[in-house]
């Protein structure tokens, strides 16, 4: 009897599991296992850094519903993670979102998706470097008990020089390959999760003892997203929450270097997501119970401390000695993420160059370290230049650039989710599993992120969004966000004139899984 088996045709170019026109890159195969891949995903997200920088802002937007918003932000990310897993099984290519959206929607949409990932990563890298620099000098001042050392971070030239040094160090480690990266990450991720667990335990202890007047008793109402006062507040909180999960897809960017490249990265991303949501919920609940979410004193919503909650809570919750560990954990979190965040941007640039969507010079892989050496160095240089220019121009511009980051994240995540459903559209009726994991879940995740993208775009028009700066009466966050996407279009059109073969679909073709007829 003849039956149709709808499966991707297999080629031997990328670990034996990719579409025929997908090319191998020469990366070091088998360098990372399941645990190592999950650790890279967690490290790139930087949970301790994300918590100290967004706990207060989220509480300021949604009040006691902060844990509910953390759950709400987890949902679209989980749905999109299913899309990444299914696409990686069919096409395990380090270009991830770029490669997959090209296969689904064609070269121009794919190029812009790749641009969204690259520019979002450069913004995050610059911010991580800035946070790591600030905590370096803050920690030095705490250890020496010398406020003048902490104050060195306020010296713009010292701050920039330290920041550039950290970027150079992170670039060098990433340049040396996944083995060096993995060893550093086990230590840094283990440290930050252990300290975070200690903070949560001590916060619960202080809350039960009623150590602070603003402390609260736990309520299940905190888990109700419908209790948020307004849709604008919910959207703002959700945008912050989505940022807190960004980076887990670094697990997929190492797929060509992972043992079991078709399945291991997808599993690792789901493990990373579970660890992250558990950490966020435990910390959010513990922090609200111990100090509340109000706008005064140690309350999480206090605007004077909301941009760096752990700096305010370290001493009161953990004591002066153990509190230093929390500073160390934030520094470790930002430093670890700074190093691993080079992975997705360098490998996306490598893939785009391999498929002739960028200059061929970035397709070079180091013969010894088996890494995209030139692409990694380019990412480091771009990060250093971006941060230096933004810092010298205006602190407000730097802040608004970070606010515009959510736009980029929603842009390329939602495109990837829709690409999954479209790429596998011929398989959706084959089984219930295919329908939900390749169709329904990715589309729902894409729609949720697209809605946040549109709502954020509308809100950004208001000058009060972000730092409050304006350009011709329009909010500077809107100008930066839309301007960066428009810049991508300009670069794409210039690239198309210099490398027409990719944009004609002659290098990486738009396709769907082939129908294989078996007797």
């Amino acid at each position: 009897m003849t039956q149709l088996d709808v499966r991707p045709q297999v080629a031997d170019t990328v670990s034996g599991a990719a579409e025929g026109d997908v090319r191998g890159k020469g990366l070091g195969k088998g360098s990372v296992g399941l645990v190592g891949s999950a650790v890279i995903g967690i490290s790139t997200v930087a949970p301790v850094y994300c918590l100290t920088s967004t706990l207060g802002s989220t509480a300021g937007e949604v009040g006691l519903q902060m844990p509910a918003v953390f759950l709400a932000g987890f949902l679209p990310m989980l749905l999109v993670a299913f899309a990444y897993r299914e696409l990686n099984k069919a096409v395990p290519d380090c270009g991830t979102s770029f490669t997959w959206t090209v296969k689904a929607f064609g070269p121009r949409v794919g190029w812009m998706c790749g641009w969204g990932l690259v520019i979002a990563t450069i913004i995050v890298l610059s911010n991580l470097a800035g946070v790591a620099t600030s905590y370096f000098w803050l920690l030095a001042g705490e250890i020496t008990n010398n406020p003048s050392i902490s104050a060195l971070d306020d010296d713009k030239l010292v701050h920039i020089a330290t920041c550039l040094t950290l970027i150079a160090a992170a670039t060098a480690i990433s340049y040396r390959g996944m083995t060096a990266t993995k060893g550093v990450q086990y230590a840094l991720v283990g440290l930050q999760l252990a300290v975070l667990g200690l903070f949560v335990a001590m916060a619960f202890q202080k809350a039960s003892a009623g150590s602070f007047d603003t402390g609260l008793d736990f309520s299940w109402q905190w888990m109700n997203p419908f209790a948020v006062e307004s849709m604008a507040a919910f959207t703002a909180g959700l945008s912050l929450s989505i940022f807190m999960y960004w980076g887990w897809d670094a697990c997929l960017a190492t797929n060509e270097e992972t043992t079991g490249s078709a399945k291991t990265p997808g599993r690792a991303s789901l493990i990373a997501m579970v660890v992250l949501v558990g950490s966020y919920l435990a910390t959010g609940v513990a922090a609200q119970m111990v100090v509340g979410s109000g706008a005064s004193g140690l309350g999480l919503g206090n605007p004077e401390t909301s941009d760096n909650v752990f700096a305010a809570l370290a001493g009161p919750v953990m004591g002066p000695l153990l509190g230093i560990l929390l500073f160390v954990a934030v520094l470790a979190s930002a430093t670890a993420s700074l190093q691993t965040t080079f992975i997705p941007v360098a490998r996306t640039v490598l893939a785009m160059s391999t498929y002739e969507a960028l200059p061929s010079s970035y397709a070079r892989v180091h013969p010894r370290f088996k890494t995209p050496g030139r692409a990694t160095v380019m990412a480091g240089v771009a990060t250093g230049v971006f941060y230096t220019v933004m810092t010298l121009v205006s602190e407000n511009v730097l802040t608004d650039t970070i606010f515009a980051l959510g736009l980029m994240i929603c842009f390329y995540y939602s495109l990837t989710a829709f690409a999954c459903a479209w790429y596998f559209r011929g398989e959706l009726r084959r089984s219930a599993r295919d329908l939900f994991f390749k169709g329904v879940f990715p589309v729902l995740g894409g729609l949720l992120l697209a809605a946040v993208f549109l709502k954020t775009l509308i809100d950004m028009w208001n000058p009060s969004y972000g730092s409050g700066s304006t350009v011709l009466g329009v909010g500077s966050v809107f100008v930066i966000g839309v301007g960066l996407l428009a810049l991508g279009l300009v670069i794409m059109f210039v690239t198309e004139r210099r490398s027409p073969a990719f944009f004609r679909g002659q290098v990486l073709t738009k396709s769907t899984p082939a129908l294989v007829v078996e007797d």
Side-chain angles (χ1 to χ4, degrees):
M1 183 176 67
T2 299
Q3 63 178 11
L4 290 178
D5 180 21
V6 187
R7 295 177 300 183
Q9 291 290 331
V10 174
D12 60 1
T13 51
V14 184
S15 302
E19 287 286 336
D21 57 353
V22 172
R23 303 173 180 176
K25 319 296 185 306
L27 297 168
K29 296 182 179 180
S31 303
V32 186
L34 177 63
V35 175
S37 182
V39 166
I40 287 173
I42 295 169
S43 174
T44 304
V45 174
V48 178
Y49 153 70
C50 285
L51 284 166
T52 193
S53 61
T54 57
L55 266 178
S57 301
T58 307
E61 294 289 350
V62 301
L64 294 175
Q65 269 53 57
M66 176 181 60
V69 171
F70 286 168
L71 280 175
F74 172 71
L75 177 59
M77 288 299 185
L78 178 63
L79 296 174
V80 171
F82 288 132
Y84 272 74
R85 184 186 65 177
E86 297 303 319
L87 285 165
N88 183 73
K89 285 181 182 178
V91 189
D93 186 272
C94 71
T96 60
S97 293
F98 159 73
T99 303
W100 299 332
T101 47
V102 171
K103 302 294 287 183
F105 299 133
R108 290 174 183 81
V109 175
W111 199 98
M112 284 302 299
C113 188
W115 169 257
L117 187 155
V118 168
I119 197 64
T121 308
I122 295 299
I123 294 172
V124 168
L125 281 169
S126 64
N127 188 42
L128 286 168
V131 170
T133 297
S134 296
Y135 265 89
F136 172 81
W137 290 113
L138 184 62
L139 179 61
E142 288 288 326
I143 293 174
T144 59
N145 196 27
N146 188 344
S148 62
I149 293 180
S150 298
L152 286 173
D153 187 57
D154 296 327
D155 186 312
K156 189 166 289 189
L157 292 180
V158 172
H159 178 92
I160 291 175
T162 307
C163 188
L164 293 179
T165 301
L166 290 175
I167 292 171
T171 304
I173 295 173
S174 297
Y175 186 89
R176 291 183 62 84
M178 295 303 300
T179 302
T181 297
K182 185 173 60 175
V184 172
Q185 293 309 315
Y186 278 133
L188 294 179
V189 170
L191 171 66
Q192 60 179 298
L193 291 180
V195 174
L196 191 60
L198 180 62
F199 170 81
V200 169
M202 296 187 74
F204 280 135
Q205 182 183 30
K206 291 286 179 71
S208 63
S211 300
F212 302 100
D213 294 338
T214 55
L216 301 168
D217 293 328
F218 173 76
S219 171
W220 285 108
Q221 186 68 6
W222 295 355
M223 303 295 178
N224 179 14
F226 300 103
V228 179
E229 292 183 357
S230 68
M231 180 57 69
F234 178 78
T235 303
L238 186 61
S239 181
L240 289 168
S241 178
I242 288 171
F243 164 72
M244 291 179 68
Y245 291 103
W246 179 83
W248 55 266
D249 51 315
C251 299
L252 285 301
T254 62
N255 50 19
E256 295 186 40
E257 299 151 274
T258 304
T259 303
S261 60
K263 294 183 179 180
T264 300
R267 293 170 178 169
S269 67
L270 294 176
I271 292 172
M273 293 285 284
V274 170
V275 171
L276 290 168
V277 71
S279 301
Y280 292 162
L281 285 176
T283 306
V285 169
Q288 282 196 167
M289 288 180 65
V290 72
V291 297
S293 62
S296 60
L298 290 176
L300 298 177
N302 187 336
E304 295 182 2
T305 60
S306 63
D307 61 341
N308 194 348
V309 167
F310 287 155
L313 296 185
V317 174
M318 301 181 70
L321 184 60
L322 291 178
I324 293 178
L325 286 178
L326 200 53
F327 289 104
V328 173
V330 177
L331 177 59
S333 183
T335 303
S337 183
L338 175 63
Q339 193 247 308
T340 54
T341 304
F342 277 101
I343 291 172
V345 65
R347 281 147 185 81
T348 298
V349 170
L350 171 68
M352 293 179 76
S353 184
T354 298
Y355 298 121
E356 303 176 30
L358 285 176
S360 60
S361 59
Y362 296 115
R364 297 176 186 173
V365 171
H366 193 282
R368 176 185 172 191
F369 301 128
K370 302 298 182 182
T371 59
R374 180 161 294 195
T376 301
V377 172
M378 181 279 295
V381 171
T383 300
V385 170
F386 181 86
Y387 188 81
T388 301
V389 171
M390 291 298 102
T391 302
L392 292 176
V393 169
S394 171
E395 291 292 340
N396 287 340
V397 173
L398 184 62
T399 299
D400 288 341
T401 302
I402 297 167
F403 271 95
L405 174 64
L407 203 66
M408 310 300 165
I409 295 172
C410 291
F411 175 73
Y412 85 85
Y413 272 165
S414 59
L415 276 179
T416 307
F418 293 138
C420 178
W422 188 250
Y423 180 75
F424 290 113
R425 63 190 183 278
E427 296 188 3
L428 300 183
R429 298 173 63 183
R430 189 174 66 173
S431 68
R433 184 201 177 281
D434 287 335
L435 174 63
F436 282 97
F437 286 100
K438 296 178 180 178
V440 175
F441 292 159
V443 168
L444 284 176
L447 288 173
L448 288 172
L449 290 177
V452 175
F453 176 89
L454 292 174
K455 184 65 169 63
T456 303
L457 198 64
I458 295 170
D459 293 342
M460 283 178 174
W461 183 270
N462 192 324
S464 64
Y465 196 94
S467 68
S469 301
T470 63
V471 178
L472 300 176
V474 179
S476 61
V477 180
F478 180 92
V479 174
I480 292 170
V482 175
L484 288 173
L485 289 176
L487 177 62
L489 283 173
V490 172
I491 296 174
M492 183 184 72
F493 290 137
V494 172
T495 305
E496 184 172 0
R497 297 192 64 179
R498 299 183 61 180
S499 180
F502 167 78
F503 292 96
R504 291 172 183 165
Q506 297 171 350
V507 180
L508 187 62
T509 59
K510 182 179 176 182
S511 62
T512 58
L515 292 175
V516 179
V517 180
E518 295 185 350
D519 291 328

